Amino acid sequence: MDIEFIRLRKRMLRLLFAIGFVCNGWFLIFETSSGIISARDAYVTYPSVMFIYAAGFFVIELGDRWRAATEWLAFLSFCANCASGVLSFTAADEPVRYYAIADTLQWIPLISIIAFMIFPGRQSVVASVVGFLIPAGTAGWVWWGSDAATWPATTSTLLFNALVIHVVSVAALVLFSHSQAAFQQARAEARMMESAALSDPLTGIANRRGIERALETQTAASVPRPWALILLDMDHFKMVNDERGHVFGDRVLQNVVNAIRPNLRGGDVIGRWGGDEFLVISPGAPAAEAEALAERLRQAVAGLPEDDSGGVTISVGIALWNGEGGLVEALRQVDAALYRSKQMGRNRVVFA
């Protein structure tokens, strides 16, 4: 599961816990002051549910196992809260009875909504059905032991309407869940296709199109300037391919990239610019820092064992760009610096 999605889900659950705690606290105060609260709700239902929500707000950060247990406990406590309201449907005091019926029936439809917000896939359908059966089963038990005076036909009609609404809600949420899953799958496939189009399958870094996209993005964004553009070319790589074969040459390319990557800074971007050329974009790097970085990269490749590198080294050109003169001109300058590095004997760093 995507890490950002997990974080978002945790924030949503903590918000639900906070809302549940505040709402139950408000109902406890309101019903007590209005004189329509039962002793069971005053001393058992509201305090226990509020405790569960408050504990869940903190426990959810302890790990996946604790989070799953907390989700079910909080959901079932909400369902039990609805069932507790059903127990007051036969209250002798008419205001208490009517308030309990109206209050409970307005919360029961939320069971399916909360189930689909908290639980994934089929688990949400199971939770929705189980959650509804808790107050519905309680209603059946209360009805069995009641008479017409305490359980009029209107109460049964209201409960039947709640059942129909719940079934319709579950059906609508199932359809929504399936459409959302299809959308997520389509988006994931689109991301995979985009990633494949912008990355080099051999080395795992950006390809030419990917590094150009990075250049466009960095140009449009407010990134620190100047940028250092560092162009690297593998010396005598063609000879390695000719003498030891392309399979070994591919392995050399991978080893060179693996040697370069750990030496890059946090915000640096590297891409395969050509067959054996690599471009590094280093935002906010002044001249001295850019030169030190380029030298680090050169030494990392030069230090590879001959069995891993085939004896290749890298020539490096550097150009700084402060946003003036156009990016094309900056790329021309770094290419010219790389050419001078080759002309001066290879395996060296040259500034534009």
Side-chain angles (χ1 to χ4, degrees), residues 210-226:
I211 199 70
E212 286 176 344
R213 174 76 64 84
L215 284 167
E216 292 170 2
T217 303
Q218 299 267 13
T219 303
S222 300
V223 290
R225 295 183 180 177

Side-chain angles (χ1 to χ4, degrees), residues 48-96:
S48 60
V49 169
M50 290 174 66
F51 173 78
I52 291 171
Y53 290 160
F57 184 86
F58 299 101
V59 172
I60 200 169
E61 296 294 333
L62 297 181
D64 291 342
R65 183 177 300 178
W66 282 97
R67 187 188 75 239
T70 304
E71 288 170 356
W72 272 105
L73 183 60
F75 175 71
L76 292 176
S77 69
F78 175 77
C79 300
N81 195 9
C82 293
S84 176
V86 172
L87 293 175
S88 299
F89 280 15
T90 57
D93 189 347
E94 280 195 356
V96 173

Side-chain angles (χ1 to χ4, degrees), residues 17 32 47 59 62 74-75 92 115 130 136 166 185 214 232 249 256 267 271 278 288 326 339 347:
F17 286 141
T32 301
V59 172
L62 297 181
F75 175 71
V130 171
H166 188 77
Q185 183 178 356
L232 309 93
V256 167
F278 303 94
Y339 179 78
N347 191 25

Side-chain angles (χ1 to χ4, degrees), residues 41-317:
D41 286 344
Y43 298 109
V44 179
T45 304
Y46 283 135
S48 60
V49 169
M50 290 174 66
F51 173 78
I52 291 171
Y53 290 160
F57 184 86
F58 299 101
V59 172
I60 200 169
E61 296 294 333
L62 297 181
D64 291 342
R65 183 177 300 178
W66 282 97
R67 187 188 75 239
T70 304
E71 288 170 356
W72 272 105
L73 183 60
F75 175 71
L76 292 176
S77 69
F78 175 77
C79 300
N81 195 9
C82 293
S84 176
V86 172
L87 293 175
S88 299
F89 280 15
T90 57
D93 189 347
E94 280 195 356
V96 173
R97 183 167 70 246
Y98 291 143
Y99 176 80
I101 293 173
D103 182 57
T104 303
L105 292 182
Q106 75 178 353
W107 288 111
I108 285 179
L110 278 179
I111 290 175
S112 55
I113 296 174
I114 293 174
F116 277 80
M117 288 180 67
I118 295 178
F119 303 108
R122 294 181 180 178
Q123 195 176 351
S124 60
V125 179
V126 173
S128 183
V129 172
V130 171
F132 182 76
L133 287 177
I134 292 174
T138 305
W141 177 72
V142 173
W143 171 80
W144 185 262
S146 64
D147 53 38
T150 57
W151 191 281
T154 52
T155 303
S156 298
T157 303
L158 288 170
L159 279 174
F160 179 76
N161 288 342
L163 172 62
V164 173
I165 292 171
H166 188 77
V167 171
V168 172
S169 298
V170 171
L173 289 167
V174 167
L175 291 174
F176 173 76
S177 179
H178 281 301
S179 63
Q180 187 183 46
F183 171 74
Q184 294 288 353
Q185 183 178 356
R187 188 170 67 170
E189 290 174 356
R191 284 178 176 174
M192 288 177 61
M193 292 177 64
E194 183 181 16
S195 176
L198 300 177
S199 62
D200 176 49
L202 179 63
T203 60
I205 60 175
N207 58 15
R208 176 85 177 227
R209 183 183 298 176
I211 199 70
E212 286 176 344
R213 174 76 64 84
L215 284 167
E216 292 170 2
T217 303
Q218 299 267 13
T219 303
S222 300
V223 290
R225 295 183 180 177
W227 298 355
L229 301 178
I230 304 173
L231 189 59
L232 309 93
D233 185 84
M234 295 168 61
D235 302 323
H236 306 300
F237 181 65
K238 184 178 183 303
M239 186 184 302
V240 172
N241 268 335
D242 292 342
E243 293 181 357
R244 305 184 67 170
H246 289 278
V247 173
F248 179 77
D250 288 347
R251 198 165 80 242
V252 169
L253 281 167
Q254 293 170 335
N255 292 334
V256 167
V257 169
N258 290 337
I260 289 173
R261 268 177 159 171
N263 292 282
L264 297 174
R265 305 179 315 158
D268 296 342
V269 180
I270 183 172
R272 193 173 177 186
W273 194 243
D276 56 354
E277 284 187 347
F278 303 94
L279 180 65
V280 174
I281 309 170
S282 190
E289 190 172 340
E291 186 172 16
L293 172 61
E295 180 60 26
R296 237 179 14 252
L297 303 182
R298 187 197 67 78
Q299 290 179 9
V301 175
L304 285 171
E306 208 251 334
D307 287 344
D308 293 335
S309 68
V312 301
T313 54
I314 56 172
S315 299
V316 186

